[in-house]
Amino acid sequence: RNRAYYAKNQELHRSVVLRLTEQIRNCILVHQQPNARVARSGNVDPGRVWRAPLLNDDRVFLCAEEENHPAFTVDLLLDGSASQNRQQEKLATQAYLIAESLSRCRIPVRVTAFCSVSGCTVLRVLRDYDHPEQNEGVFDYVAAGWNRDGLALRAMGWLLRQRRSEQSLLLVLSDASPNDDQRIPNGLGGWAYTGKRGVDDTAAEAAALRLRGVLPVCLFTGSD
């Protein structure tokens, strides 16, 4: 279903990738910070001036050097619950377009889908960092099961800590409607994991991610 949807409008999707790639590149050029390297010309580095008379070292200047690679990673987290079934093909295609555009800009990107099945929240990595040849794997995305969004964000936090990148951007493609058949324990039979309690739990996990330097952003995919 996903691959057929993409192929049906392949020319349009290819043009979207080209435009998005160009926009990302322009953003990087505008916002990236230059690195300073030791050089024989540029701005004087007061901490190295003594090296000129004592060591006959004329590299006492700092010269701006642009970064070759962005110092951040991007994670796409796809809500893989049954509520997304009617737009599964669209969601898979959107994720592929974003991942392909980031790959062309040499930005490390990982695509993960999550859902809850039989009391377990499962994360499936469809495309891992530094493997642009795996972009096609995004089309293996399937929408089924429940979605305990807070637990999925907590798990993503653990995965991101293994990477230890300078900064991480987490894009969550979701209908922003946490819903799980496993209740929230309260000693009295538990509260249903849905509605405001589900949203509050998810918001708390998003706040915890921000405290650790991860920037979570929700790309809303619902119809409500």
Side-chain angles (χ1 to χ4, degrees), residues 38-187:
V38 176
R40 290 183 170 84
S41 63
N43 297 320
V44 173
D45 179 7
R48 296 184 61 87
V49 171
W50 65 271
R51 300 178 64 88
L54 296 181
L55 302 178
N56 199 28
D57 183 0
D58 57 1
R59 295 176 301 166
V60 296
F61 301 91
L62 293 178
C63 180
E65 181 179 53
E66 297 295 330
E67 293 180 344
N68 294 323
H69 305 285
F72 63 93
T73 61
V74 177
D75 269 82
L76 300 181
L77 181 61
L78 313 184
D79 175 358
S81 64
S83 64
Q84 301 282 46
N85 186 266
R86 292 186 178 181
Q87 55 184 9
Q88 172 185 298
E89 304 95 321
K90 183 188 295 185
L91 199 65
T93 298
Q94 291 172 343
Y96 173 81
L97 297 177
I98 296 172
E100 178 67 20
S101 301
L102 291 168
S103 298
R104 295 187 181 196
C105 296
R106 302 176 71 182
I107 297 174
V109 56
R110 175 172 57 191
V111 183
T112 307
F114 78 93
C115 68
S116 297
V117 182
S118 300
C120 296
T121 294
V122 181
L123 274 69
R124 180 185 181 192
V125 177
L126 302 171
R127 186 259 198 239
D128 210 344
Y129 296 125
D130 308 323
H131 291 285
E133 73 280 359
Q134 295 179 354
N135 283 342
E136 288 283 336
V138 177
F139 290 120
D140 292 335
Y141 164 76
V142 177
W146 303 85
N147 57 306
R148 201 175 187 95
D149 293 25
L151 187 55
L153 290 184
R154 189 184 304 180
M156 283 303 301
W158 183 87
L159 286 175
L160 289 167
R161 287 196 295 276
Q162 312 312 304
R163 177 78 179 187
R164 292 187 176 89
S165 61
E166 182 174 323
Q167 190 172 61
S168 300
L169 176 62
L170 175 61
L171 304 180
V172 186
L173 279 68
S174 169
D175 58 6
S177 181
N179 191 18
D180 191 21
D181 61 343
Q182 300 297 308
R183 302 175 71 83
I184 303 172
N186 65 354

Side-chain angles (χ1 to χ4, degrees), residues 1-33:
R1 283 171 51 185
N2 300 343
R3 288 173 171 81
Y5 179 87
Y6 177 85
K8 184 178 180 180
N9 297 290
Q10 191 170 45
E11 292 307 315
L12 171 62
H13 294 144
R14 285 177 174 173
S15 68
V16 169
V17 168
L18 291 175
R19 292 201 306 272
L20 185 55
T21 300
E22 188 62 26
Q23 289 173 340
I24 294 172
R25 283 176 178 159
N26 288 339
C27 243
I28 292 174
L29 288 174
V30 169
H31 294 288
Q32 72 180 3
Q33 298 296 319

Side-chain angles (χ1 to χ4, degrees), residues 189-209:
W191 293 303
Y193 191 89
T194 187
K196 186 177 186 301
R197 285 195 172 94
V199 170
D200 287 346
D201 176 64
T202 306
E205 294 297 342
L209 286 174

